Amino acid sequence: LQPFGEWCNLHPKDAAKMPESAWKLLFYTLSWSYGIYLLFFTDYPFFYDPPSVFYDWKKGMDVPTDIAIAYLLQCSFYGHSIYATAYMDTWRKDSVVMLLHHVVTLTLIAFSYAFRYHNVGILVLFLHDVNDVQLEFTKLNVYFKHRGGVYHRLNDVISNIGCLTFSVSWFWFRLYWFPLKVLYATCYSSLQLVPNIPFYFFFNALLLVLTLMNIYWFLYIVLFVAKVLMGQMQEVNDVREYDVEDSKKTTTARK
């Protein structure tokens, strides 16, 4: 992907960040599409009936192969993401929170598989991956707005539309549907269907931490919208970014 950025003659700081976003877009598109398949094209009723994630639950139950595949993909990706955030990706203002997010997510994925809460995990991953698809697609269009020393209006329009849909979907999927479907099922329905369910407080605490991080990032979105409305920002940019030179210095220092 780096040679492709150079071939497109991107601005140096955009060329440095483009491969990361392109790779993430590829992965999240694959993972979210697979989540759509599991939730809407199979017999799993988890999305429309969230309490069903605990129907017939028992310790040591078999994990269906199609769900195990999703877990394998996600666990490997977030395991790598912990290393990538610390040593490979562009360092940003929220990279520490991002690192915490990856650790919490990997812990949830690994332990939910081990203790057979995989049905909940599929729902959680589906509700989160859609925003990452939109985010990385929007960022790519931001990077491609100025290439070859020429301004490309189409990429600018797409990035503006992407920013709007990303903001709305973040609120809808992570701050509305996530508590309504996932937290309701794990905090309330789990105790009704499986009394004395193991690790109840552990898993719900991690899910609540995930919710708080979603709120934290939503503040960045609100900040961005406020800057646009007040005329402090003329075009879509990532307000989380440090300057690329500062990022290089930080990366060198960490190495």
Side-chain angles (χ1 to χ4, degrees), residues 140-178:
L140 281 176
N141 278 279
V142 170
Y143 302 152
F144 277 85
K145 280 193 301 186
H146 302 282
R147 60 183 188 273
V150 179
Y151 165 75
H152 295 266
R153 182 173 179 77
L154 178 61
N155 294 109
D156 195 9
V157 172
I158 293 175
S159 64
N160 287 327
I161 296 174
C163 180
L164 177 62
T165 58
F166 169 73
S167 304
V168 174
S169 69
W170 185 284
F171 176 83
W172 193 260
F173 278 80
R174 297 197 182 197
L175 301 184
Y176 176 66
W177 267 348
F178 182 72

Side-chain angles (χ1 to χ4, degrees), residues 84-152:
T85 300
Y87 296 106
M88 295 175 63
D89 297 346
T90 300
W91 194 254
R92 300 180 174 88
K93 296 177 182 179
D94 68 339
S95 288
V96 173
V97 179
M98 184 66 75
L99 200 58
L100 175 63
H101 169 270
H102 293 335
V103 172
V104 171
T105 302
L106 183 60
T107 302
L108 277 169
I109 292 173
F111 280 88
S112 64
Y113 185 89
F115 298 110
R116 299 305 189 257
Y117 297 136
H118 47 274
N119 294 341
V120 182
I122 292 300
L123 194 54
V124 172
L125 292 169
F126 168 76
L127 293 176
H128 283 72
D129 283 350
V130 59
N131 301 127
D132 291 300
V133 172
Q134 293 174 303
L135 174 63
E136 302 305 337
F137 178 73
T138 301
K139 288 168 65 177
L140 281 176
N141 278 279
V142 170
Y143 302 152
F144 277 85
K145 280 193 301 186
H146 302 282
R147 60 183 188 273
V150 179
Y151 165 75
H152 295 266

